[in-house]
Amino acid sequence: ARAADASLHARVQAMAMALRHLRRGGVALTTDLLAVLAAHLCAIASSEGLEDAGADVVLEALQRLQKPAGGRVRLFDRLRMCATLPAALALSPLKRHREAVQRMMQSSLIKAARQQQEPLLDIATACFVHFLSRLDPFIEESSAPASAYPRSSKVSEAFCEALLKCEPSRRPTELGIVALRVCNRVRYFEDKDKPGETAIQKAASVLRHVVEKHCPELGNRVATSLLQGAPRGAMPAELFAVR
């Protein structure tokens, strides 16, 4: 037990250090690095000794990602980290951690919604789909003969709830349509680093199911006609390539 506690504590400290370096621009964000950090967060969230290990240290480091230290971190990289990484802690059994994740992601998406020069909510959603496709729980569930994607859905819930609440002036269904348009758009693209694979399409389906559960009215014909007008744009070229 002590060895497990020590290992968990080491993960927490390593995560906090890595996040500090990313925030300061001392380390370049890559897909592989994001996947490794997400794997650590999933392991931390699933640990029995989560509270005793000082997970609040990780939560604080994630919170600080929203506050750039200097101008060395690109807006895209900061948005990508803030709209994805905290969601892994939605797997925590502790309610206060899940609530902290919700506030964190909502704050990030509120900032993205206020940027009018780029469709940042579309980009954030596309980044989340890509992130989910590389997440260990998703990979395990998608490789099963049959799965309801319970853990992947829980992670997607965190993103979906934050998105639907990020603009009080807009109805949740309007923001749900933003997510569904991206999910529809994914079928025209593939993972830039994994051409020919279908993980991002499966991840988009998980997110689509969660959004439709929150906004059941999006399944009607009116919503379908709105989705048919989705432009084939706002997909990060660093992550996606046209099929």
Side-chain angles (χ1 to χ4, degrees):
R2 289 185 178 180
D5 289 345
S7 175
L8 179 56
H9 183 75
R11 279 185 187 272
V12 168
Q13 296 303 317
M15 275 294 307
M17 183 178 296
L19 292 172
R20 280 197 296 270
H21 285 303
L22 283 168
R23 174 174 172 257
R24 295 169 181 169
V27 176
L29 180 67
T30 65
T31 294
D32 288 342
L33 176 56
L34 195 66
V36 168
L37 294 176
H40 280 300
L41 282 173
C42 288
I44 291 170
S46 302
S47 300
E48 291 182 2
L50 178 61
E51 196 158 20
D52 294 335
D56 288 340
V57 173
V58 173
L59 284 168
E60 183 179 353
L62 287 169
Q63 181 70 47
R64 288 183 176 180
L65 282 178
Q66 299 183 42
K67 304 172 183 177
R72 291 185 293 176
V73 180
R74 298 182 305 163
L75 172 62
F76 171 71
D77 288 337
R78 190 165 69 251
L79 176 63
R80 186 182 179 191
M81 289 187 287
C82 293
T84 59
L85 271 178
L89 279 181
L91 297 172
S92 170
L94 301 178
K95 183 179 179 180
R96 66 185 183 86
H97 290 160
R98 298 194 301 272
E99 289 176 343
V101 164
Q102 184 65 43
R103 291 192 299 270
M104 212 180 298
M105 297 188 72
Q106 188 174 337
S107 175
S108 298
L109 294 178
I110 285 172
K111 293 175 183 176
R114 289 174 179 169
Q115 297 283 340
Q116 299 297 324
Q117 64 270 34
E118 295 183 74
L120 293 187
L121 287 181
D122 289 54
I123 292 173
T125 304
C127 286
F128 178 79
V129 169
H130 191 272
F131 169 81
L132 184 63
S133 74
R134 301 295 187 95
L135 202 64
D136 285 350
F138 171 83
I139 294 171
E140 292 170 8
E141 292 169 347
S142 63
S143 63
S147 176
Y149 293 90
R151 299 178 74 202
S152 301
S153 295
K154 189 174 289 187
V155 173
S156 297
E157 287 270 0
F159 179 84
C160 176
E161 290 179 7
L163 176 66
L164 298 182
K165 297 176 182 177
C166 75
E167 282 195 88
S169 62
R170 297 174 68 180
R171 294 168 54 198
T173 49
E174 293 181 58
L175 295 163
I177 286 173
V178 170
L180 292 185
R181 282 183 171 176
V182 173
C183 291
N184 274 16
R185 200 176 298 143
V186 165
R187 59 185 167 175
Y188 300 109
F189 292 83
E190 62 186 5
D191 189 322
K192 188 174 182 179
D193 296 331
K194 295 186 175 184
E197 296 193 10
T198 60
I200 59 169
Q201 282 76 31
K202 293 178 181 178
S205 294
V206 173
L207 179 59
R208 181 202 312 278
H209 176 75
V210 171
V211 172
E212 290 177 345
K213 185 175 71 173
H214 279 267
C215 303
E217 61 271 38
L218 290 182
N220 63 30
R221 294 181 179 179
V222 174
T224 300
S225 66
L226 289 172
L227 291 172
Q228 288 174 345
R232 291 179 60 182
M235 298 294 280
E238 292 184 25
L239 308 180
F240 298 92
V242 177
R243 299 177 81 174

